[in-house]
Amino acid sequence: MPKLILSMDGLVLKEIVLSKERTLIGRKPNNDIQIDNLSISGQHAVITTILDDAFLEDLNSTNGTYVNGQPVKKHVLHNNDVIELGKYRIKYLVDTATPGVSATELIDTAALKPFIADTLNQTESTPVASSGVARTQVLSADERNAASTASLGHMLENLGVIQVLSGPNVGRELELSKPVTTLGKPGFQVVVITRREQGYFITHVEGRIAPKVNGASLDAQAHRLENHDIIEVAGVKMEFFIRS
């Protein structure tokens, strides 16, 4: 299970195990990690944890959130990343002894062609970098209610597929058979597509510029994908469809 090490001026102040789905960081007492300093906003940032994967989001803080010296709005956390909030440092650590492939091992959409070729040649027992191990990621009550009963049965019986529409990999397909698939270019634009009972949901997790679905920019919330939606990530257009 991942954990955080809070420190200031080299002095360790606290160790926090990321056992909750959402860990709030800020100056107010109702935060999970309270940092009582005027340079820290009331609710400064949040870390969303899904088993061994974690996503950091700045909550429009006054002084900003930095990771490894770079300002971020959304960021996929990696082992040994250092989150900087004013004079405070929060080091993100993962138990590297845990086997398996993390869902946040990213796929560069520009390299989709060799990835798909490799995937099609893999056996089921071979880890594939695009998808995480089986996991439970809970949607909010609003997102659960948004999914219709009719679509629920349809999505459970059919498999989602991404087909590339632009660039050198036009026509290539990627089956969304795993619970979590991550697409994008690290440091530029990254999305996560999750497969749930309610259907497929896309979430923007890294990058200053939001990806688009049907020409509309995604916000911070998970967006439910519909059949034949057009997704644009890192300059590559893809079509999402349901294969019967």
Side-chain angles (χ1 to χ4, degrees):
M1 187 173 291
K3 63 182 179 181
L4 305 174
I5 306 296
L6 175 65
S7 65
M8 184 181 72
D9 297 331
L11 178 65
V12 174
L13 303 176
K14 192 174 183 180
E15 181 176 315
I16 306 101
V17 176
L18 289 175
S19 56
K20 297 176 61 177
E21 182 185 357
R22 282 172 59 86
T23 301
L24 281 167
I25 306 169
R27 190 180 69 255
K28 293 181 178 180
N30 61 340
N31 288 280
D32 300 292
I33 302 175
Q34 183 190 11
I35 303 177
D36 190 7
N37 188 285
L38 291 177
S39 66
I40 309 299
S41 295
Q43 286 193 336
H44 197 104
V46 62
I47 296 175
T48 302
T49 307
I50 310 165
L51 292 184
D52 290 333
D53 300 314
F55 309 97
L56 171 70
E57 180 180 356
D58 179 81
L59 298 177
N60 296 316
S61 63
T62 301
N63 294 315
T65 300
Y66 292 74
V67 175
N68 304 327
Q70 299 298 317
V72 298
K73 285 296 183 182
K74 294 183 179 182
H75 178 78
V76 180
L77 288 169
H78 301 280
N79 192 35
N80 291 317
D81 273 353
V82 177
I83 304 167
E84 302 168 37
L85 309 172
K87 294 182 178 179
Y88 292 83
R89 302 290 182 269
I90 302 176
K91 191 169 187 178
Y92 174 76
L93 295 174
V94 177
D95 182 5
T96 55
T98 303
V101 178
S102 166
T104 55
E105 291 185 17
L106 304 176
I107 307 163
D108 186 336
T109 48
L112 195 58
K113 180 176 180 179
F115 163 76
I116 292 176
D118 290 341
T119 301
L120 295 177
N121 292 328
Q122 298 287 343
T123 63
E124 274 192 36
S125 60
T126 305
V128 179
S130 70
S131 304
V133 296
R135 64 193 59 218
T136 300
Q137 183 177 348
V138 181
L139 293 173
S140 67
D142 289 342
E143 289 168 336
R144 288 196 298 269
N145 294 335
S148 66
T149 303
S151 295
L152 169 60
H154 177 72
M155 288 305 227
L156 285 172
E157 296 172 1
N158 299 283
L159 181 66
V161 179
I162 290 291
Q163 184 178 55
V164 181
L165 302 179
S166 67
N169 300 304
V170 170
R172 294 286 176 171
E173 294 183 355
L174 174 63
E175 291 186 346
L176 303 173
S177 58
K178 300 295 183 178
V180 180
T181 302
T182 310
L183 295 172
K185 292 184 180 180
F188 175 64
Q189 198 175 72
V190 177
V191 299
V192 169
I193 298 177
T194 53
R195 186 185 189 191
R196 315 204 179 274
E197 290 183 351
Q198 295 88 352
Y200 288 88
F201 289 80
I202 184 170
T203 306
H204 177 210
V205 296
E206 184 175 343
R208 183 177 58 85
I209 302 173
K212 296 180 179 180
V213 175
N214 300 327
S217 297
L218 292 177
D219 56 21
Q221 303 301 315
H223 176 84
R224 187 173 182 271
L225 288 170
E226 303 292 344
N227 201 23
H228 301 300
D229 274 353
I230 303 300
I231 304 166
E232 187 172 351
V233 180
V236 176
K237 287 188 177 181
M238 295 167 278
E239 180 184 2
F240 168 82
F241 65 92
I242 298 299
R243 177 170 287 158
S244 302

